[in-house]
């Protein structure tokens, strides 16, 4: 393992690169936690047919290169001690012998393998795999995606020399080595989290060999320099160290200072999650939570949901689309005029399927309880409440797994608006702290890089570097409303499941548009 390298004099900045679902954010940090420069570049999440959610890997690589170059131009290349990465989890793409992509990036939101996930769960091996690998058997899992490719695209599957995640491929282009960190590997469904090695049964079910996967490395692994392509694209010296980094979920905990026992991190960006740090890998007996690596002695366990801010993006585009001048903030302001409960309207926010806490493969969005008296403001508020209620179910599952939680910190782009903060606190029935810095995963990547490069002694400094800037307490009346709605919301998943299974089968044969 190459880590704890000596940084050159004057190198006081680590650049955190957060490769998200809809954009890559690049931020330069000092060891004090101060952000001194940043850039962001977006890219689309393509949905060519229902159930598929793909991205162009070259667009993501370009966003990384452009963002790093802009930040380097702002701070000066001589100050950069290294780069460190965060990435959205569960991605998969096939590579040829030259390391070039044979497929788009198949993202966490892709549900094409729903039937394969159901069969594997029903086979009797699903729960055992979940307990060993830390990853629920779900369409998001690269293990299940590999099963789909093997069965549905056998020629492509046979021609693939390597299977990797998007960060693995970006690191190959950036630093010339094909590696996967233990964090993203622990989210693949292919690695035994107790042995920190590829799981033989998982590989067998996927139909691949260990040699077809990137080399496993710790999250603090330091790759010694940049390729000539990357040096030219970023404006950095070829000797610039690159820290492998980790998945965005575990790094979000680090980035908001939730690294001590009992402190949970709730992040809501495009998707959402609730996680708490633990000192050893474990999954509860019922398989209600995931368990992913952060460092060699720190793991995070909890649950993720597919639908966070993406729900509001859809509402703004498709429901409020006729009012081109209305901003997202104005739409949420309008929703705040409606009392909690949205006049008895519930939204199941499963636009991209769903993950925790049920980990089922088939879920579709729905408005339930809609009447003529409901207005746009009700539909918008119900969307926010649907996300909050789903996260509340995740919180319940974590407590049922005996995970101690005595403090919750939240971050994510949507949390800038008061309605999200208040709704989440009231749905949880708990006060929520909001750190001053909104860039949880990117800052987490930078802190991990600082530890790997010897600039800080431990990532535990995160708890002191990330103060809580604001605390939102639950509103008592709203807590009562959400307490009444939650069991109804929970029952609707099962009640609509038979219809959703049939609709998914029908929609697979129907065009989405003319």
């Amino acid at each position: 393992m190459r880590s704890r390298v000596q940084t050159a004099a004057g190198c006081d900045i680590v650049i955190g690169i957060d490769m998200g679902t809809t954009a890559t954010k690049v931020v330069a940090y000092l060891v004090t936690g101060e952000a001194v420069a940043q850039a962001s570049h977006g890219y689309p999440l393509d949905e060519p047919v229902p159930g598929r959610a793909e991205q162009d890997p070259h667009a993501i690589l370009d966003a990384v290169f452009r963002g790093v170059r802009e930040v380097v131009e702002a701070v000066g290349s001589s100050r950069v001690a290294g780069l460190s990465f965060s990435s959205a989890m569960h991605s998969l793409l096939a590579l040829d012998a030259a390391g070039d992509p044979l497929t788009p990036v198949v993202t966490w939101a892709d549900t094409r393998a729903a039937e394969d996930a159901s069969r594997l769960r029903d086979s009797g091996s699903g729960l055992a795999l979940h307990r060993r690998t830390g990853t629920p058997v779900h369409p998001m899992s690269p293990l299940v995606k590999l099963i789909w490719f093997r069965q549905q695209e056998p020629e492509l599957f046979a021609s693939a020399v390597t299977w990797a995640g998007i960060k693995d491929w970006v690191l190959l282009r950036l630093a010339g080595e094909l590696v996967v960190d233990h964090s993203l590997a622990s989210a693949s469904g292919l690695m035994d989290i107790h042995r920190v090695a590829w799981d033989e049964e998982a590989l067998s079910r996927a139909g691949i060999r260990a040699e077809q996967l990137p080399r496993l490395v710790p999250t603090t692994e330091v790759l010694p320099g940049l390729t000539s392509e990357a040096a030219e694209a970023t404006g950095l010296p070829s000797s610039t160290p690159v820290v492998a980094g980790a998945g965005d979920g575990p790094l979000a905990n680090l980035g908001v200072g939730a690294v001590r026992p009992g402190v949970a991190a709730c992040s809501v960006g495009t998707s959402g999650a609730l996680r708490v740090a633990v000192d050893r890998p474990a999954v509860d007996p019922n398989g209600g939570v995931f368990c992913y690596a952060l460092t060699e002695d720190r793991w995070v366990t909890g649950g993720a949901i597919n639908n966070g801010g993406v729900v509001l993006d859809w509402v703004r585009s498709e429901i409020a689309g006729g009012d081109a001048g209305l901003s997202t903030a104005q739409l949420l302001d309008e929703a705040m005029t409606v009392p909690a409960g949205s006049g008895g309207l519930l939204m199941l926010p499963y636009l991209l399927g769903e993950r925790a806490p049920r980990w089922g493969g088939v879920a579709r969005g729905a408005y339930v309880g809609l009447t003529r008296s409901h207005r746009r403001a009700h539909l918008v508020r119900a969307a926010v409440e649907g996300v909050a209620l789903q996260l509340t179910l995740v919180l319940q599952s974590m407590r049922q797994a005996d995970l101690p939680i005595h403090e919750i910190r939240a971050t994510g782009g949507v949390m800038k608006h008061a309605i999200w903060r208040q709704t989440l606190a009231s749905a949880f029935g708990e006060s929520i702290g909001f750190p001053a810095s909104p860039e949880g995963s990117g800052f987490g990547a930078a802190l991990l890089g600082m530890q790997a490069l010897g600039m800080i002694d431990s990532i535990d400094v995160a708890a002191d570097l990330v103060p809580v800037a604001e605390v939102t307490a639950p509103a008592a009346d709203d807590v009562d409303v959400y307490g009444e709605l939650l069991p109804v919301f929970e029952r609707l998943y099962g009640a609509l499941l038979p219809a959703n299974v049939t609709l998914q089968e029908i929609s697979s044969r129907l065009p989405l548009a003319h």
Side-chain angles (χ1 to χ4, degrees), residues 116-180:
D116 301 284
S118 296
R119 282 193 292 269
L120 183 52
R121 280 197 307 272
D122 295 342
S123 71
S125 299
L127 184 55
L129 279 167
H130 183 174
R131 290 172 180 168
R132 286 204 311 278
T133 67
T135 305
V137 175
H138 183 274
M140 70 179 182
S141 166
L143 163 61
V144 182
K145 293 178 174 120
L146 283 165
I147 294 172
W148 185 91
F149 273 107
R150 177 167 55 83
Q151 295 176 344
Q152 302 299 323
E153 297 197 26
E155 291 185 10
L156 185 149
F157 186 84
S159 66
V161 174
T162 307
W163 294 91
I166 180 57
K167 182 167 76 66
D168 313 338
W169 182 73
V170 167
L171 286 177
L172 175 64
R173 296 291 296 269
L174 197 83
E177 293 193 39
L178 187 63
V179 298
V180 58

Side-chain angles (χ1 to χ4, degrees), residues 32-261:
T32 59
E34 179 185 357
V36 292
Q38 58 185 313
S40 179
H41 292 282
Y43 31 75
L45 178 66
D46 299 321
E47 299 174 83
V49 296
R52 298 200 181 187
E54 305 170 338
Q55 291 180 312
D56 177 1
H58 296 281
I60 297 174
L61 179 66
D62 180 64
V64 171
F65 281 162
R66 290 170 63 196
V68 173
R69 172 173 281 280
E70 290 171 15
V71 167
V72 169
E73 288 174 348
V75 302
S77 61
S78 63
R79 296 181 65 187
V80 179
L83 310 176
S84 187
F85 277 83
S86 165
S87 173
M89 308 178 86
H90 312 297
S91 65
L92 182 73
L93 70 161
L95 305 178
D96 64 16
D100 294 324
L102 296 172
T103 65
V105 180
V106 183
T107 72
W108 57 267
D110 195 285
T111 60
R112 72 183 71 180
E115 292 183 7
D116 301 284
S118 296
R119 282 193 292 269
L120 183 52
R121 280 197 307 272
D122 295 342
S123 71
S125 299
L127 184 55
L129 279 167
H130 183 174
R131 290 172 180 168
R132 286 204 311 278
T133 67
T135 305
V137 175
H138 183 274
M140 70 179 182
S141 166
L143 163 61
V144 182
K145 293 178 174 120
L146 283 165
I147 294 172
W148 185 91
F149 273 107
R150 177 167 55 83
Q151 295 176 344
Q152 302 299 323
E153 297 197 26
E155 291 185 10
L156 185 149
F157 186 84
S159 66
V161 174
T162 307
W163 294 91
I166 180 57
K167 182 167 76 66
D168 313 338
W169 182 73
V170 167
L171 286 177
L172 175 64
R173 296 291 296 269
L174 197 83
E177 293 193 39
L178 187 63
V179 298
V180 58
D181 68 79
H182 291 160
S183 179
L184 288 175
S186 67
S188 69
L190 297 167
M191 189 186 85
D192 185 325
I193 59 175
H194 308 285
R195 297 187 302 113
V196 193
W198 298 121
D199 185 88
E200 292 182 5
E201 181 190 350
L203 294 181
S204 175
R205 288 185 176 274
I208 62 171
R209 307 179 309 278
E211 295 76 28
Q212 291 180 272
L213 296 170
R215 176 170 62 90
L216 286 167
V217 298
T219 58
T220 51
E221 179 85 355
V222 181
L223 306 176
L226 303 177
T227 62
S228 57
E229 174 195 23
E232 181 178 355
T234 61
L236 285 168
S238 59
S239 59
T240 305
V242 178
V243 179
D248 58 357
L251 285 174
N253 273 60
L254 178 55
V256 300
V259 291
R260 292 172 178 163

